[in-house]
Amino acid sequence: MVPSAPGTQPATPDVALQASSISRRYGAVVALADASMTLRRGEVMGLVGDNGAGKSTFLKVLSGAVVPDGGEMVVGGSPVSFRRPSDALEAGIETVYQDLALVDTMSAVQNVYLGREELSKNPFLRLLNVVNDGGMRKRSREVLSELGVGIQSVNVSVKGMSGGQRQCLAIARALLWGRQIVILDEPTAALGVRESAQVLELIGRLRDHGVSVILVSHNMQQLVQVADRVTVMRLGRTIATRDVADVTPEGIVGLITGAVPADVATPEDTSSVVH
Ligand SMILES: Nc1ncnc2c1ncn2[C@@H]1O[C@H](COP(=O)(O)OP(=O)(O)OP(=O)(O)O)[C@@H](O)[C@H]1O
Ligand SMILES: [Mg+2]
């Protein structure tokens, strides 16, 4: 457990990430007015909301890609303030983007180790920046088989891989690097039924490894299948969090549209969000 500084709240061991009252404007557009989330260790949190509700902006703040105007974040018991994506990576947060996840011309191993290549164990070769190909291949194979990702060879380029395999590889990379939190923005949006099922199963395995997952999806059936809880956003605010066991897909849609009352007051008429 992380020791807490005098005068601060003691760290809560079962909370992986806490974001409170995050706000972000783009000129007159309020992308985030008041977004909050408590993510527990080893849980899958669904994040839902209508188009323009602020989901992607919230994820970008959590992954260090967007600096918020206000609000607080605590990761693993320590306050953090991300200025760039590498800050979030260092704090153990990996984000899997839908399209930018992998480099086409590189192999599965190269993609898994992209930007973090392991140098050769031989001290002379290390000086020449020669990488430890064998070691990286072995570790990649281990992680992929541990996760049940079916890839014929880790050495061929990922160009010919299916969308599902690519998504799985990107998720495996997060696990290989020991990330505690994995953020997925609509990972199954472009996938077929079978491939979506594979990705959802992999998300379940991440949870089995104690990793916390935030998953944005517009597919309520998939969400209730894989998520433990769901956070609903409306007009830049998080308006409700529910245990998935306590809601139906229709109930979640009701919260998204406003047919079901929110847990917090929502000043709908003061929003300047333009779609
Ligand atoms: N870089 C930007 N510049 C200006 N406005 C932005 C920018 N990024 C987001 N916005 C605005 O902020 C609001 C929230 O956008 P965001 O992309 O976070 O929504 P979302 O919930 O992810 O929507 P979707 O479901 O369509 O992906 C929108 O009104 C959007 O137009
Ligand atoms: Mg989005």
Side-chain angles (χ1 to χ4, degrees):
M1 192 157 102
V2 181
S4 48
T8 61
Q9 294 279 332
T12 318
D14 69 332
V15 173
L17 174 149
Q18 179 131 37
S20 315
S21 301
I22 304 290
S23 59
R24 177 69 157 112
R25 277 172 176 274
Y26 290 100
V29 177
V30 182
L32 291 177
D34 185 357
S36 302
M37 180 187 285
T38 302
L39 180 68
R40 298 176 188 145
R41 286 192 202 282
E43 82 167 337
V44 178
M45 175 70 91
L47 182 62
V48 298
D50 226 337
N51 294 123
K55 304 177 297 295
S56 292
T57 309
F58 194 19
L59 295 191
K60 284 178 190 161
V61 168
L62 301 181
S63 61
V66 163
V67 178
D69 298 330
E72 272 115 51
M73 277 173 64
V74 175
V75 176
S78 310
V80 292
S81 142
F82 300 151
R83 313 304 296 179
R84 55 191 72 80
S86 57
D87 293 343
L89 279 172
E90 266 168 42
I93 301 174
E94 179 101 16
T95 306
V96 179
Y97 299 99
Q98 199 180 334
D99 301 319
L100 305 172
L102 304 169
V103 181
D104 261 355
T105 49
M106 290 184 169
S107 71
V109 185
Q110 286 169 326
N111 266 289
V112 165
Y113 279 90
L114 190 63
R116 305 172 261 203
E117 286 83 358
E118 207 173 88
L119 286 180
S120 170
K121 295 213 178 338
N122 180 317
F124 295 108
L125 294 178
R126 279 182 90 88
L127 285 177
L128 298 170
N129 276 340
V130 173
V131 298
N132 177 8
D133 262 333
M136 290 193 295
R137 269 203 298 274
K138 182 164 172 282
R139 187 76 189 109
S140 299
R141 268 197 296 266
E142 278 167 11
V143 170
L144 291 174
S145 79
E146 202 175 304
L147 288 171
V149 178
I151 287 174
Q152 294 207 333
S153 164
V154 294
N155 302 322
V156 297
S157 96
V158 300
K159 207 171 178 174
M161 282 185 190
S162 71
Q165 284 176 323
R166 297 165 64 99
Q167 198 70 40
C168 288
L169 193 58
I171 297 172
R173 180 166 63 186
L175 190 67
L176 180 75
W177 288 98
R179 304 295 178 221
Q180 295 304 303
I181 298 167
V182 174
I183 296 176
L184 303 162
D185 197 352
E186 303 202 45
T188 60
L191 304 184
V193 176
R194 235 185 48 169
E195 293 201 309
S196 295
Q198 195 187 0
V199 169
L200 295 180
E201 202 190 312
L202 192 49
I203 291 171
R205 297 230 182 101
L206 280 181
R207 171 179 39 207
D208 297 343
H209 279 80
V211 175
S212 310
V213 178
I214 303 175
L215 169 67
V216 170
S217 177
H218 286 281
N219 186 325
M220 297 305 134
Q221 300 294 343
Q222 281 183 4
L223 265 183
V224 296
Q225 201 184 320
V226 74
D228 300 296
R229 293 195 298 157
V230 60
T231 290
V232 184
M233 293 191 74
R234 210 190 291 162
L235 299 170
R237 292 166 195 276
T238 44
I239 56 134
T241 298
R242 296 279 185 274
D243 282 343
V244 164
D246 298 339
V247 281
T248 57
E250 296 73 34
I252 301 172
V253 172
L255 283 165
I256 293 170
T257 59
V260 173
D263 293 351
V264 295
T266 52
E268 318 265 9
D269 51 347
T270 59
S271 169
S272 53
V273 174
V274 181
H275 300 301

